[in-house]
Amino acid sequence: MKIYQTKKVTNNLIKTLINIWEPAVIKTHTFLTSKEIENIKKYVPLAIKSVPILLIAITNKKVIAFIGINDQKIEMLFVKNEFQGLGVGKKLIEYAKNNYNINEITVNEQNKKALGFYKHLGFQEYKRSNLDEEGNPYPIIYMKIKS
């Protein structure tokens, strides 16, 4: 697997990343309705374009995961469903720690697998919000790497 920072976010790349994002969200964000996912999907291209650092993981010339970073915070991390549980997310986070000094992430409280994953990688909860960033009733957990 190769990880690199993409400098240019093309429409083709956005389509590729949405094709990773959507099935991953359907699988991991079971608390969202399909209508809510469709609504969120409208904003994903802008979110992808707006992160200052976008890292792509590639294997066999195919994009299998991506991570977006702003300052030292992970803004997004999605792994293609068939590659989940194989260490891809962990490698992306390790790469981001080593090269971009990431130390923070927010995660939906209902996404128990992600919460456990980040705890396993050394993140710990320091704050909780009853609402997500859009004011919806989906609690958010704010996590930082233990120092």
Side-chain angles (χ1 to χ4, degrees):
M1 180 178 82
K2 181 181 176 194
I3 298 171
Y4 74 93
Q5 181 179 349
T6 182
K7 298 289 184 192
K8 188 172 181 183
V9 180
T10 64
N11 288 334
N12 280 342
L13 178 60
I14 288 173
K15 285 179 193 171
T16 299
L17 299 184
I18 287 174
N19 286 334
I20 292 170
W21 174 87
E22 188 171 21
V25 168
I26 290 168
K27 180 179 178 181
T28 60
H29 292 64
T30 55
F31 53 93
L32 294 174
T33 66
S34 56
K35 185 177 179 182
E36 288 170 313
I37 292 171
E38 279 302 312
N39 189 45
I40 294 167
K41 185 178 174 180
K42 296 175 195 172
Y43 303 100
V44 174
L46 179 60
I48 290 170
K49 286 180 186 175
S50 67
V51 290
I53 298 165
L54 181 63
L55 303 177
I56 307 293
I58 294 181
T59 190
N60 297 327
K61 299 183 181 179
K62 295 205 186 272
V63 178
I64 61 166
F66 64 99
I67 186 171
I69 303 166
N70 186 10
D71 290 326
Q72 294 176 295
K73 181 180 179 189
I74 297 171
E75 295 291 339
M76 59 188 75
L77 170 62
F78 292 96
V79 177
K80 204 169 191 176
N81 284 351
E82 56 265 37
F83 290 92
Q84 290 178 12
L86 301 177
V88 174
K90 180 180 179 181
K91 286 178 184 168
L92 274 169
I93 287 177
E94 287 172 352
Y95 186 91
K97 273 188 198 176
N98 294 334
N99 294 283
Y100 300 96
N101 299 312
I102 59 102
N103 64 6
E104 189 171 349
I105 190 163
T106 57
V107 63
N108 290 98
E109 185 177 62
Q110 297 101 319
N111 190 347
K112 299 295 184 195
K113 278 184 98 172
L115 205 50
F117 170 72
Y118 295 122
K119 284 179 181 177
H120 178 72
L121 293 180
F123 289 85
Q124 67 181 17
E125 179 180 343
Y126 72 90
K127 185 169 91 172
R128 181 185 184 277
S129 170
N130 287 327
L131 305 174
D132 68 11
E133 291 87 358
E134 287 77 40
N136 296 311
Y138 302 118
I140 297 292
I141 303 296
Y142 295 80
M143 303 179 86
K144 284 191 176 184
I145 294 176
K146 296 178 201 171
S147 37

